[in-house]
Amino acid sequence: MEFEISAAESLKGSKDDFQKPAEKSAVNIIVNEFLHVLPCSFFHDMILGFPVQAYLYTTVAEKAERSADMNYKEAMAYVEEVGQYGMVMGLSSMRELCARLGNPQDQLRFVHIAGTNGKGSVLAYVSTVLQKAGYRTGRYSSPAVCDYREIFQVDGRTITQSGLCKYMEQVKNAAEAMAAEGLPHPTAFEVETAVAFLYFLDKKCEIVVLETGLGGAEDATNVIETTLVAAFVSISRDHMGILGDSLEQIAVVKSGIIKNKCCVISVKQQPEVMKVLRQAALLRKAKFFTADAGRAKNIRYGVTKQHFSYDKYKNLEIAMPGRVQIENAVAAVEIITALGKMGFLVKEEALRQGLSLARWRGRFDVIAKKPLFIADGAHNEDAARRLAESIRLYFAGRRIIYIMGMLKDKEYDKVLLNTFDLAEHIITVTPPVSGRAMPAYDLAQAASEYHNSVTVADSVQEAVEIAFLLAGKDKETVIIAFGSLSYLGELINVVEHRDTIRRDTHGRS
């Protein structure tokens, strides 16, 4: 039998406080058992009879309360369960859910980021800079790559398991009450977004940086009304079945995050996109600024460090590789500048530190160096084109081996068309997304239309082993895994723990 006892705590309370008939017999049984393990001197000097019951009653009650709370396994099971509700555009359900939780989002201030590619990187830059400037900063992004909890962070730290359970239970209770009243049950993304709001409010975040899940106007994150900056990264064609068939239609949907009199920052976009964003800003009396990467000077590209100068800031350093990261970092500088005019002052030293320390997993992410192994979430035409630009920039003339995993509702043919000619060999895998995953064999068939050296892997681990086998001892070979983010977390784990996995598999110590 295990007891947790503190002499100081055992003396708390009064005898009358603990006369609870319903639980007295159980407590007495525990006390009687406890009496046999304590020396007599302990009773005379420390306990004096009733405080043991007092303490033990408190301990039993606390443990009973804890056991009634949601645990992490149950929280994850609930997240999986609500996945059945799919993806529903619109804000009515999200507004109802937040209202039942006390509208926590109304007590927070936001930088809201929308766009097709680059949201997470800009979020990482901005939130890290704000953190280094001393502001308690929340960040919310999706999907997770390595750990589910990583989508909820405060000052760069992921939410604890117990914290996640605490807020998830509150949201679950509200969601189930809605369903019991005949209202639609909130979707998984709506549940997660509500959890984020509760978490950030509880942690007293001074500012929250969050990215949209899909689109803008009818995305669950757009329930917020206290936006300071609405930011737009590159907008291109993706999710056309939901957002629209043209760039103009997609831009209209994404421009929905612009709130009255907020500040709008956008990277340089296609003319029709810029027109839509400017008109939306004008309609809502919001100031509009362009983050033009063309004004960046003295650019030095690198896989581990990159440098550039922008306006008054000379020789800024970023650690995230990829040609597009200059554009993303410029957007971050403009967002920080805009926030400074709203009272969130950031010294140049904090800006420099934040930019250089920012990281974003799964985006041209170097996960091994011998041979060089990169994981990237390029899963649409624009991202594939930018990936190809980075490959040509950093690895011209080197052997390239691909690992690819795609969802069947993505433009896998256009991804292949933009990247196939740079690879010596392509290995295909099936992402772990039920119903949407493109089977590795089908992707291999499609790849074979462009490339004559394609291999199907039965698992992510097998794909990694095949890639290392093909690379051999050639230090100049580069392995690049890209496509759906859904399989990159497993891949990163396999690569980073490859030696351990191989020892376990082969029975070696």
Side-chain angles (χ1 to χ4, degrees), residues 11-88:
L11 298 174
K12 291 179 181 177
S14 66
K15 188 172 183 178
D16 293 338
D17 292 337
F18 300 95
Q19 299 304 308
K20 305 210 175 185
E23 289 136 331
K24 186 175 180 181
S25 60
V27 174
N28 286 336
I29 291 171
I30 294 175
V31 171
N32 289 335
E33 184 173 350
F34 189 59
L35 298 181
H36 296 292
V37 298
L38 290 177
C40 292
S41 60
F42 185 85
F43 288 95
H44 294 296
D45 297 337
M46 300 295 298
I47 298 181
L48 305 177
F50 93 85
V52 173
Q53 282 192 319
Y55 175 78
L56 288 176
Y57 170 75
T58 304
T59 302
V60 170
E62 286 175 349
K63 287 187 174 180
E65 183 179 353
R66 286 200 297 266
S67 65
D69 292 340
M70 175 183 283
N71 61 40
Y72 189 64
K73 183 178 180 180
E74 291 168 340
M76 291 298 92
Y78 179 63
V79 171
E80 185 175 349
E81 177 188 330
V82 296
Q84 68 179 298
Y85 300 110
M87 179 175 58
V88 180

Side-chain angles (χ1 to χ4, degrees), residues 21 140 158 190 240 335 406 442 504:
Y140 175 58
T158 60
E190 289 169 338
M240 282 87 76
I335 292 169
M406 296 289 296
D442 292 350
D504 291 343

Side-chain angles (χ1 to χ4, degrees), residues 222-243:
N222 205 36
V223 72
I224 65 175
E225 295 292 344
T226 53
T227 303
L228 299 178
V229 177
F232 297 91
V233 295
S234 173
I235 295 175
S236 59
R237 291 177 175 84
D238 198 9
H239 302 288
M240 282 87 76
I242 300 171
L243 303 181

Side-chain angles (χ1 to χ4, degrees), residues 34 86 88 105 143 145 182 204 215-216 269 426 486:
F34 189 59
V88 180
Q105 76 283 359
V145 176
K204 297 179 173 58
Q269 311 271 3
I426 300 174
S486 61

Side-chain angles (χ1 to χ4, degrees), residues 155-374:
D155 288 345
R157 297 181 179 180
T158 60
I159 191 171
T160 62
Q161 289 189 5
S162 60
L164 178 64
C165 294
K166 172 185 174 181
Y167 307 115
M168 188 67 74
E169 186 165 36
Q170 293 177 45
V171 175
K172 178 185 178 183
N173 291 339
E176 291 184 345
M178 288 172 60
E181 295 171 20
L183 297 172
H185 194 292
T187 66
F189 187 64
E190 289 169 338
V191 165
E192 291 164 349
T193 304
V195 166
F197 293 152
L198 289 173
Y199 175 48
F200 298 143
L201 180 60
D202 200 24
K203 292 299 181 182
K204 297 179 173 58
C205 289
E206 297 168 89
I207 190 165
V208 174
V209 187
L210 78 166
E211 59 170 287
T212 58
L214 177 61
E218 296 189 328
D219 183 77
T221 62
N222 205 36
V223 72
I224 65 175
E225 295 292 344
T226 53
T227 303
L228 299 178
V229 177
F232 297 91
V233 295
S234 173
I235 295 175
S236 59
R237 291 177 175 84
D238 198 9
H239 302 288
M240 282 87 76
I242 300 171
L243 303 181
D245 295 327
S246 69
L247 271 180
E248 186 176 13
Q249 289 174 325
I250 294 171
V252 168
V253 173
K254 292 183 184 292
S255 71
I257 71 166
I258 299 174
K259 300 298 189 297
N260 289 334
K261 297 182 179 180
C262 75
C263 180
V264 180
I265 306 290
S266 176
V267 301
K268 198 169 183 178
Q269 311 271 3
Q270 294 294 325
E272 60 267 44
V273 173
M274 291 298 278
K275 181 179 179 181
V276 168
L277 296 181
R278 287 183 181 278
Q279 287 177 339
L282 183 63
L283 181 65
R284 297 177 180 94
K285 299 178 181 179
K287 294 181 179 180
F288 187 96
F289 300 92
T290 302
D292 186 0
R295 287 165 36 209
K297 307 296 182 185
N298 305 317
I299 300 173
R300 286 176 286 154
Y301 296 104
V303 175
T304 57
K305 291 182 180 180
Q306 305 193 108
H307 297 84
F308 69 99
S309 298
Y310 184 74
D311 286 352
K312 66 179 181 179
Y313 301 110
K314 308 302 179 185
N315 198 35
L316 294 170
E317 178 182 293
I318 56 176
M320 288 196 280
R323 188 180 192 120
V324 71
Q325 290 301 340
I326 303 299
E327 177 179 273
N328 293 334
V330 164
V333 172
E334 289 289 358
I335 292 169
I336 294 298
T337 300
L339 288 172
K341 297 175 183 177
M342 301 176 190
F344 286 87
L345 301 178
V346 175
K347 294 181 179 179
E348 182 171 337
E349 181 183 1
L351 174 70
R352 291 182 177 276
Q353 287 183 346
L355 291 177
S356 66
L357 292 173
R359 301 289 186 277
W360 196 239
R361 300 244 62 178
R363 279 70 169 183
F364 214 81
D365 188 3
V366 178
I367 58 177
K369 294 183 178 180
K370 293 181 181 180
L372 195 63
F373 201 130
I374 291 170

